[in-house]
Amino acid sequence: MAAEPTLNLSVDELLTTTRSVRKRLDFEKPVPREVIMECLDLALQAPTGSNAQGWQWVFVEDPAKKKALADIYRASADGYLNLPAPERGDIRDQQVDAVISSAKYLADNFEQAPVLMVPCLEGRPDGAPAGLTASYWGSLLPAVWSFILALRSRGLGSSWTTLHLFGDGEKQAAELLGIPFDQYTQGGLFPIAYTKGTDFKKAKRLPAEQFSHWDSW
């Protein structure tokens, strides 16, 4: 498999410029399967509990299925995205309007992405204690993030969404895609597309000191 050209980002540049991409997804440019598989090969190097590798990855290109998934997503997104945003009294309040606007744009156009991805993990953690839940998701989420970083390094973007999992949405998506609902849990719904430009910048974040604790809370 030929390697896809990368952006030659340093590790720090990659980690600080991998954004949730919504309005800058290029819906017109096709995404070759070999590029996705190259990114997946990299993602599968991520750690997984007991080396179980219980993950499965569903990629959706079929227009009708993408539309159906988008409708499932919108069933929850339409209400959620119109809820009043909490006021936090810091820099996050200045970003609310832009975040909501881009999230609504993605919800309206989800099926336009060339590829949608649903990562799954064997088992169902429903009602499990915190330790088991943390262990469970720790066997999938590092690989998903590695996949997104690999996309970024090749000029593609995505956005981590979970709203399609609300209510009966996960079961509906499972039925649509043939995912064995009793055996596998879905970890999200991800649009995959090349980005319009690759000049993403660091996000405005609160200082690390505000979130760090040493020896006690």
Side-chain angles (χ1 to χ4, degrees):
M1 183 183 299
E4 178 71 10
T6 66
L7 301 180
N8 293 319
L9 300 171
S10 70
V11 172
D12 285 2
E13 288 172 332
L14 181 63
L15 292 173
T16 56
T17 63
T18 301
R19 306 263 65 85
S20 291
V21 187
R22 304 179 184 97
K23 289 186 176 180
R24 289 179 61 182
L25 294 173
D26 188 343
F27 297 144
E28 303 301 323
K29 185 175 180 179
V31 176
R33 287 190 180 187
E34 55 265 27
V35 176
I36 291 178
M37 296 306 294
E38 185 176 85
C39 292
L40 185 58
D41 277 337
L42 294 171
L44 297 184
Q45 292 296 313
T48 172
S50 301
N51 194 33
Q53 302 178 54
W55 43 44
Q56 296 289 334
W57 308 74
V58 182
F59 298 98
V60 184
E61 297 175 310
D62 178 80
K65 290 185 177 180
K66 288 195 297 180
K67 174 62 164 59
L69 279 175
D71 287 341
I72 294 170
Y73 180 85
R74 282 189 283 265
S76 292
D78 289 345
Y80 176 79
L81 294 178
N82 286 298
L83 292 174
E87 294 186 10
R88 297 185 170 95
D90 55 42
I91 193 174
R92 289 173 289 185
D93 292 340
Q94 303 170 20
Q95 301 167 331
V96 167
D97 290 345
V99 171
I100 292 177
S101 175
S102 66
K104 288 183 176 179
Y105 172 84
L106 178 61
D108 291 341
N109 294 279
F110 220 124
E111 63 267 38
Q112 300 302 318
V115 183
L116 301 183
M117 177 184 77
V118 179
C120 305
L121 189 64
E122 189 175 13
R124 296 210 61 86
D126 307 333
L132 289 177
T133 302
S135 175
Y136 180 84
W137 289 116
S139 290
L140 177 66
L141 304 193
V144 176
W145 187 242
S146 289
F147 182 84
I148 293 174
L149 291 171
L151 290 177
R152 163 65 176 148
S153 74
R154 286 156 175 76
L156 294 94
S158 187
S159 182
W160 198 313
T161 79
T162 57
L163 289 175
H164 91 284
L165 303 174
F166 287 25
D168 293 329
E170 184 190 4
K171 184 171 286 188
Q172 293 171 5
E175 292 173 353
L176 174 70
L177 301 175
I179 299 170
F181 180 80
D182 294 336
Q183 301 174 42
Y184 285 88
T185 303
Q186 299 168 44
L189 177 62
F190 298 77
I192 299 174
Y194 281 96
T195 58
K196 297 177 180 178
T198 59
D199 56 335
F200 293 91
K201 297 178 174 60
K202 293 177 66 174
K204 294 180 180 179
R205 294 286 194 244
L206 295 170
E209 290 78 10
Q210 188 165 333
F211 301 106
S212 54
H213 309 269
W214 297 80
D215 296 327
S216 64
W217 186 270

